[in-house]
Amino acid sequence: YLVIQMIPLPGWFVKAVSPISYLCAQKAIPASVAVNNPSITNWISIAPYRFPVRMSIVRLTAYWLLFIGLLHAIDSKKRLYILIFILIGSGCFQSLYGFIQAYGGGYKIWWYPKIKGVVQGTFINRNNFTWFICLGIIDIAANFE
């Protein structure tokens, strides 16, 4: 889907699919270029700004390569248990650090100010902390089959 957003498509198709993108493409053309070449919007992409879409493609590619590398690195049960131990250990550290910071009076995550009374571990966003802890719970549950 991200690649499709960056492909130049006919202007009539983009206008039918995403009128906002078509309007943004028309507004982004300098006036001097639009006067000299009125058919400049014949081929435009659906994404009004290509940079964030391109960075999302790069990010997803990096995540995919990390996942493939992790699958190749964990080829035995012993390595899988080591990875699970590391995830559970770091989850315990995050929780302990979060409780100390939330209820100990120091309202900073290392050096960054945080919300008072909220357990966040070393994460700035508490939703990321929740995801990390849920990942540890899934690891623990998978080992007690």
Side-chain angles (χ1 to χ4, degrees):
Y1 182 69
L2 292 172
V3 173
I4 292 172
Q5 286 185 1
M6 293 184 61
I7 296 174
L9 299 170
W12 60 268
F13 182 75
V14 174
K15 189 175 184 180
V17 172
S18 177
I20 301 295
S21 295
Y22 184 77
L23 181 66
C24 287
Q26 283 185 331
K27 300 277 185 190
I29 300 170
S32 60
V33 175
V35 169
N36 294 334
N37 191 1
S39 64
I40 194 76
T41 58
N42 284 344
W43 292 90
I44 57 176
S45 62
I46 293 177
Y49 307 108
R50 289 185 180 192
F51 181 74
V53 177
R54 190 178 316 127
M55 290 310 297
S56 294
I57 291 171
V58 169
R59 211 174 286 126
L60 283 174
T61 304
Y63 293 155
W64 179 252
L65 290 174
L66 178 69
F67 176 70
I68 295 297
L70 192 62
L71 283 180
H72 286 291
I74 301 178
D75 54 356
S76 67
K77 214 169 195 176
K78 181 181 177 185
R79 287 186 179 182
L80 179 65
Y81 286 139
I82 290 172
L83 177 68
I84 290 172
F85 178 74
I86 289 171
L87 287 174
I88 292 172
S90 60
C92 290
F93 167 75
Q94 292 286 339
S95 299
L96 183 63
Y97 181 79
F99 279 119
I100 290 170
Q101 289 295 11
Y103 301 114
Y107 297 110
K108 290 190 175 197
I109 301 171
W110 302 127
W111 54 86
Y112 189 82
K114 71 175 211 71
I115 303 170
K116 295 180 181 181
V118 176
V119 178
Q120 294 172 312
T122 58
F123 295 100
I124 304 299
N125 187 350
R126 62 180 163 219
N127 295 332
N128 295 346
F129 172 71
T130 305
W131 174 86
F132 190 77
I133 295 303
C134 286
L135 180 70
I137 291 171
I138 290 170
D139 287 341
I140 292 171
N143 284 326
F144 285 118
E145 290 181 351

